[in-house]
């Protein structure tokens, strides 16, 4: 997942993001789409800039978001093959990114 371009895509293609929320049967798809875009933009900016030493907050926010997307949007255990494997790979990618975000959170909290 590439933080930055995806959020900008969502800002300019809000209907596509809302449709993704509808596709995974989330209630209030517009609200979830807005929360997704906001989380990715603000969380990424906090990690990148470490504004006021809050990079750890952005990293944690993004990590929780990514972990929640697994059961809400990529519940691989509910699909038949070959979609199950595809969704499993996405879930593994999210876990991998969470590992990097944990490292980013630790590093952002260290004194310079």
């Amino acid at each position: 997942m590439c933080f930055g371009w995806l959020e900008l895509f969502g800002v300019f293609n809000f209907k596509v993001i809302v449709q993704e929320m509808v596709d995974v049967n989330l209630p209030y798809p517009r609200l979830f789409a807005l929360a997704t875009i906001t989380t990715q933009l603000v969380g990424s900016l906090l990690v990148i800039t470490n504004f006021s030493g809050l990079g750890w907050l952005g990293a944690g926010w993004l990590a929780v978001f990514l972990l929640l997307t697994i059961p809400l949007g990529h519940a691989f255990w509910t699909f038949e093959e070959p979609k199950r494997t595809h969704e499993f790979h996405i879930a593994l990618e999210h876990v991998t990114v969470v590992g990097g975000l944990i490292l980013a959170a630790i590093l952002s909290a260290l004194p310079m």
Side-chain angles (χ1 to χ4, degrees):
M1 176 172 236
C2 175
F3 293 109
W5 295 113
L6 183 61
E7 305 84 63
L8 292 177
F9 173 82
V11 169
F12 296 108
N13 296 286
F14 188 70
K15 289 181 182 179
V16 173
I17 304 301
V18 171
Q19 187 57 49
E20 287 179 0
M21 304 304 150
V22 169
D23 292 345
V24 294
N25 298 316
L26 287 175
Y28 313 107
R30 293 177 60 81
L31 180 64
F32 270 96
L34 182 62
T36 296
I37 293 167
T38 302
T39 295
Q40 291 178 343
L41 281 173
V42 176
S44 296
L45 285 172
L46 286 173
V47 170
I48 292 167
T49 64
N50 198 25
F51 178 76
S52 294
L54 295 175
W56 63 270
L57 181 63
W61 188 1
L62 289 168
V64 169
F65 166 77
L66 283 172
L67 291 174
L68 287 174
T69 64
I70 295 171
L72 294 176
H74 303 290
F76 57 89
W77 55 90
T78 64
F79 296 106
E80 298 294 324
E81 290 296 346
K83 187 166 176 70
R84 177 185 306 231
T85 298
H86 175 72
E87 294 295 327
F88 179 67
H89 288 163
I90 293 171
L92 287 179
E93 288 173 6
H94 286 206
V95 171
T96 302
V97 173
V98 168
L101 288 167
I102 290 169
L103 180 60
I106 292 168
L107 292 174
S108 72
L110 293 176
M112 292 298 228

